[in-house]
Amino acid sequence: MSGMTQAASTKVLDIAPDVSPILDVLEDYSRFIDELFDQPKPHSAFWEGNVGNTAIRSVGRVVYKWRHSLIENQPPLALIVRLSRKLSDIVSDIGQHPRKILERRRSMEPVSRFRELDSTCVRWLIRQPGLSIVEKAGHRRQILAVQRFESVNTLENRVLVDLLKRCRTLAADYLRHHAGRFPNHVWIQATQRFKRICEQFVDSAELACVQSITSLPQPNYVLLHESRYHEVWLAYEQVIRQQTRRQQLWQSRQSVWAEMCLIAIWSSMSLLARKSGSGNCRSTHRCDLWVRDKLEDGGFIDWSSCPTDWKLDSVSRVSVVPAKVLANRFQTIRSGGDFSFVRMKAGGEEEFEDLVAVGLDLPDSNETEQQATVSVSFSKNGSVVSKDVPLDLLKRPDFFDDRLRGWFLDD
């Protein structure tokens, strides 16, 4: 029982850090998945589309996008960029004219100025000595009365202020990564402007009395139906969803990076298969891959749609599959890695030439900053070899090309 308690405590304390190169890479990969999910493309040879929370994409589409992920002629179209373009004018308008309500508050008012009494004020007045209101007011000439005043401390304004604080952090992080390379890009300038707007109204006297939000609220009528505040609410939901996924990415960093590494190897397999002239690559590219819009079981890919084999030469084919589906697909094989290579002879899937099991050792901290690497250890023919792999594979899409050739073709 104590072991279970300790494990649960460790899991609870596994909170995503504010700054981490590992988390930056995982978020880049999540944007890669988002772009796959958001942009289905018609094709004459195969169908692509979205079914609920799952996107059906061809393997060829996925590896092509991975292969061209190195092209960086502009900063990424992140959520904060879309919000900057959409909310800048709305936030400026609300910040200058926030919605207010009339609140009632009891206070001691001069007899000559009071306008309203409620039951509590009447009871107080009855208990005071004297026959008339003037006598009951005493020497200070004041009585307890109801005062009406304007207040901006409403739920919709609390949501607004919390959104501005979160967007200020997102904008600062986005600019920290991309403003140096693209200082004059329109998305960078829009984000800088939006960040200034957020800072202006978060610290303004008008919104200073707005209380903080401690949990995700239920939207009220204004957030759902008033046009300006409804856009604020929609943006708030998007930001909360992204920050929740950031925490999920950190907690599943091992399996998410393994999935990213697997797609990188598929990309290299595709290149080797095309160069071999085996003719198998095209059919493999047409296989469907199921991509989810959120993390499930530690990843975005539904491995029920595992692609077919890559034919690298005239006598052998290679299948690259996650370890959790390896046992279902190849009944006689067991592997302990995150994913595995299975090379088969031309005679059929039951004739295994060798097995390469891959295990990933991902650093848990950000102490090494941008120089952080991961090690990939694989066993082959009884020997174990470890390779250092760049942490940010999205910027090195060709990393496995030559290495896979050495592993499989140059024995």
Side-chain angles (χ1 to χ4, degrees):
M1 178 65 72
S2 60
M4 295 175 60
T5 303
Q6 184 177 1
S9 175
T10 302
K11 185 175 181 180
V12 170
L13 294 177
D14 192 17
I15 299 175
D18 293 333
V19 179
S20 167
I22 295 173
L23 194 50
D24 290 343
V25 170
L26 298 181
E27 289 201 294
D28 287 342
Y29 175 66
S30 72
R31 283 191 287 269
F32 170 85
I33 294 294
D34 287 341
E35 292 174 7
L36 276 177
F37 195 94
D38 294 339
Q39 300 172 6
K41 293 182 178 180
H43 196 280
S44 58
F46 47 80
W47 178 87
E48 287 188 355
N50 297 349
V51 181
N53 296 326
T54 302
I56 311 300
R57 299 293 182 266
S58 67
V59 173
R61 169 84 179 284
V62 174
V63 297
Y64 177 86
K65 184 170 182 58
W66 181 273
R67 178 64 59 173
H68 293 83
S69 62
L70 183 61
I71 301 175
E72 291 186 340
N73 54 6
Q74 64 182 18
L77 184 58
L79 174 62
I80 188 60
V81 176
R82 298 196 294 270
L83 296 183
S84 300
R85 300 163 68 184
K86 187 175 184 179
L87 292 182
S88 292
D89 293 338
I90 294 175
V91 169
S92 295
D93 184 32
I94 297 178
Q96 295 171 6
H97 308 94
R99 187 174 181 275
K100 301 177 182 179
I101 61 173
L102 284 177
E103 289 190 353
R104 300 170 54 169
R105 183 172 60 191
R106 301 182 192 95
S107 62
M108 301 302 293
E109 295 291 325
V111 175
S112 60
R113 292 214 307 259
F114 86 91
R115 293 291 181 270
E116 183 181 354
L117 299 177
D118 62 6
S119 58
T120 300
C121 296
V122 171
R123 288 194 296 268
W124 178 90
L125 193 62
I126 292 173
R127 291 196 298 268
Q128 306 309 309
L131 298 178
S132 65
I133 291 182
V134 174
E135 292 177 355
K136 291 177 177 293
H139 67 281
R140 294 185 178 180
R141 296 294 187 265
Q142 292 180 337
I143 65 171
L144 184 66
V146 173
Q147 179 187 16
R148 292 179 179 268
F149 66 99
E150 289 185 332
S151 172
V152 296
N153 187 29
T154 62
L155 176 62
E156 56 269 19
N157 287 327
R158 290 196 289 272
V159 169
L160 171 67
V161 171
D162 196 48
L163 173 65
L164 296 183
K165 291 178 180 178
R166 293 174 186 269
C167 285
R168 179 175 58 181
T169 302
L170 289 176
D173 187 60
Y174 182 83
L175 295 173
R176 175 172 60 87
H177 284 93
H178 306 293
R181 286 178 294 168
F182 308 100
N184 299 320
H185 196 279
V186 62
W187 295 349
I188 296 294
Q189 294 176 350
T191 305
Q192 290 172 334
R193 175 173 176 259
F194 187 51
K195 180 174 180 288
R196 290 193 295 268
I197 292 173
C198 293
E199 291 171 342
Q200 174 187 349
F201 292 111
V202 163
D203 299 329
S204 67
E206 187 77 33
L207 298 175
C209 63
V210 175
Q211 297 176 353
S212 300
I213 290 180
T214 57
S215 60
L216 183 65
Q218 290 293 327
N220 60 9
Y221 183 87
V222 176
L223 289 171
L224 292 178
H225 299 287
E226 203 273 353
S227 58
R228 300 178 305 165
Y229 281 100
H230 184 58
E231 294 296 337
V232 168
W233 175 250
L234 293 178
Y236 188 67
E237 287 185 311
Q238 290 178 302
V239 170
I240 292 295
R241 191 179 303 117
Q242 174 175 295
Q243 293 181 337
T244 300
R245 187 165 72 172
R246 176 182 173 89
Q247 179 63 39
Q248 293 172 340
L249 284 169
W250 180 252
Q251 292 179 345
S252 303
R253 55 194 179 275
Q254 177 81 13
S255 55
V256 173
W257 198 91
E259 181 178 287
M260 183 171 66
C261 190
L262 184 53
I263 293 178
I265 291 176
W266 278 354
S267 176
S268 297
M269 285 289 186
S270 173
L271 182 64
L272 291 178
R274 289 200 304 271
K275 289 182 176 180
S276 70
S278 61
N280 177 257
C281 184
R282 180 173 298 179
S283 61
T284 303
H285 281 177
R286 291 179 180 177
C287 292
D288 290 338
L289 193 64
W290 300 350
V291 184
R292 296 176 292 225
D293 66 342
K294 58 183 178 181
L295 279 170
E296 292 184 21
D297 299 326
F300 293 100
I301 306 298
D302 184 346
W303 296 112
S304 301
S305 60
C306 202
T308 57
D309 311 318
W310 306 93
K311 190 173 182 180
L312 300 185
D313 53 35
S314 59
V315 296
S316 64
R317 293 173 292 123
V318 175
S319 180
V320 188
V321 294
K324 56 187 176 183
V325 301
L326 185 67
N328 294 331
R329 189 169 181 188
F330 304 105
Q331 298 296 328
T332 59
I333 292 294
R334 296 293 183 269
S335 172
D338 288 275
F339 56 89
S340 298
F341 298 92
V342 178
R343 185 164 67 177
M344 295 152 284
K345 293 180 179 179
E349 290 186 348
E350 298 302 323
E351 298 185 20
F352 299 97
E353 183 173 334
D354 59 25
L355 170 68
V356 181
V358 179
L360 303 176
D361 180 19
L362 187 65
D364 288 331
S365 68
N366 61 343
E367 295 177 356
T368 53
E369 297 299 329
Q370 298 301 330
Q371 287 73 39
T373 60
V374 293
S375 62
V376 175
S377 300
F378 65 94
S379 59
K380 184 175 181 180
N381 298 327
S383 61
V384 178
V385 181
S386 294
K387 299 285 186 180
D388 287 335
V389 180
L391 182 64
D392 193 353
L393 278 176
L394 278 167
K395 295 181 180 179
R396 296 283 302 277
D398 59 345
F399 176 79
F400 286 107
D401 292 354
D402 294 336
R403 290 158 182 80
L404 288 183
R405 179 178 296 277
W407 291 354
F408 293 105
L409 301 182
D410 298 332
D411 293 331

